[in-house]
Amino acid sequence: MTKILIVDDEQDLCEILHFNLANEGFEPVTANSAEEALVLLKQEPRESYGLILLDVMMDRMSGFEMARLLREQGDNTPIIFLTAREEHDDQLEGFAAGADDYITKPFSFDTVLARIKAVLKRSHPAPTAEPLYRFGSLTLDTALNQVSAEGHPVELTKREYQVLQLMARRTGEYLSREEIMAQVWPNDAYVTERSVDVHIARLRKKLGSEGARIVNKTGFGYTLKTTSDERRDA
């Protein structure tokens, strides 16, 4: 549940936003001044709040001043300004102060909700799943850097693993020794084509019967042979 800090000196507006955001599954917290909001932010870890809805024109410290202070302190919590100041220069000042978005009053809650979701999506992108390769009994889990074959874990060296991973990513393609060297040993001037052959031979042996999947075609290079029903899970 994403916690959202609402900062506005209009009590009625805070209550409306709090009610609607709670109904949308967020955890809203309200403050009626920048000073009160800064106290709340200090009471919890910096990453506790997923987003701040911040009014600009408030007594004493303005929303622009609060945003600049947070950015100077290294706080990168996304900020959306909610303000009646709609001049172009005001919007530029808001973005210069560290805003992620700027909404002028009056506004509909649907607009605010859409902007919140857009900012959260940009600032908290969903993690990309690491692919899981399965070829018969051969499995390569790139999230855990683990390999298994014939139902048993296979212990590979770092370079052996990188060679296998490269071929798994490029199934159906023949990889020359030069390309494998460039991908796996990019900065090692002492590695030779013979090193590639040695690592391939070790891989075949460690993978048992699945080692036969690694084939070589003269003049083309190495490939990992698969069938049409074998797949990669992303």
Side-chain angles (χ1 to χ4, degrees):
M1 183 181 295
T2 301
K3 184 180 289 188
I4 295 179
L5 178 59
I6 306 165
V7 187
D8 200 302
D9 58 3
E10 295 182 49
Q11 182 67 35
D12 290 345
L13 179 58
C14 284
E15 291 177 359
I16 292 170
L17 288 171
H18 187 287
F19 176 80
N20 285 285
L21 287 171
N23 283 343
E24 292 293 332
F26 294 101
E27 183 182 348
V29 177
T30 60
N32 294 127
S33 69
E35 292 79 7
E36 182 183 350
L38 290 172
V39 171
L40 290 173
L41 289 169
K42 287 181 180 180
Q43 291 175 346
E44 299 190 57
R46 180 170 291 173
E47 64 275 8
S48 295
Y49 290 91
L51 185 138
I52 301 172
L53 292 176
L54 182 57
D55 185 25
V56 173
M57 296 184 292
M58 295 181 287
D59 292 337
R60 292 181 291 174
M61 181 181 290
S62 73
F64 288 160
E65 292 172 317
M66 176 180 164
R68 281 192 288 266
L69 178 61
L70 290 176
R71 296 303 185 239
E72 289 170 2
Q73 294 174 347
D75 191 327
N76 295 316
T77 303
I79 295 173
I80 298 178
F81 281 120
L82 303 177
T83 177
R85 294 174 59 170
E86 59 183 7
E87 295 298 324
H88 182 63
D89 288 346
D90 293 326
Q91 295 186 34
L92 292 178
E93 183 178 356
F95 285 113
D100 293 86
D101 206 343
Y102 193 104
I103 304 174
T104 57
K105 299 176 182 179
F107 48 75
S108 70
F109 178 72
D110 288 342
T111 297
V112 175
L113 181 61
R115 298 288 188 89
I116 288 173
K117 290 180 177 179
V119 169
L120 289 175
K121 185 175 182 180
R122 292 197 303 268
S123 58
H124 304 287
T128 302
E130 295 289 339
L132 176 66
Y133 301 89
R134 291 192 180 122
F135 312 111
S137 72
L138 173 60
T139 300
L140 173 61
D141 188 337
T142 60
L144 301 176
N145 293 332
Q146 293 180 348
V147 176
S148 64
E150 300 176 335
H152 302 287
V154 178
E155 295 296 328
L156 300 179
T157 66
K158 178 181 177 181
R159 299 302 186 191
E160 291 167 353
Y161 177 86
Q162 290 175 330
V163 171
L164 180 62
Q165 184 181 38
L166 177 61
M167 289 192 293
R169 285 175 174 168
R170 305 272 294 274
T171 53
E173 299 180 43
Y174 281 93
L175 302 172
S176 67
R177 292 176 176 84
E178 292 82 359
E179 185 170 2
I180 295 174
M181 289 165 55
Q183 294 290 331
V184 178
W185 292 272
N187 301 309
D188 195 336
Y190 296 99
V191 172
T192 65
E193 293 185 3
R194 177 60 181 161
S195 299
V196 176
D197 293 335
V198 169
H199 278 74
I200 294 291
R202 290 174 179 168
L203 264 176
R204 284 171 169 159
K205 183 176 181 179
K206 289 183 177 182
L207 295 178
S209 63
E210 295 292 355
R213 291 180 177 276
I214 303 176
V215 298
N216 174 259
K217 186 175 182 180
T218 304
F220 291 86
Y222 290 101
T223 190
L224 188 65
K225 186 171 63 175
T226 63
T227 57
S228 59
D229 62 336
E230 293 170 339
R231 60 190 178 87
R232 180 183 82 177
D233 297 330

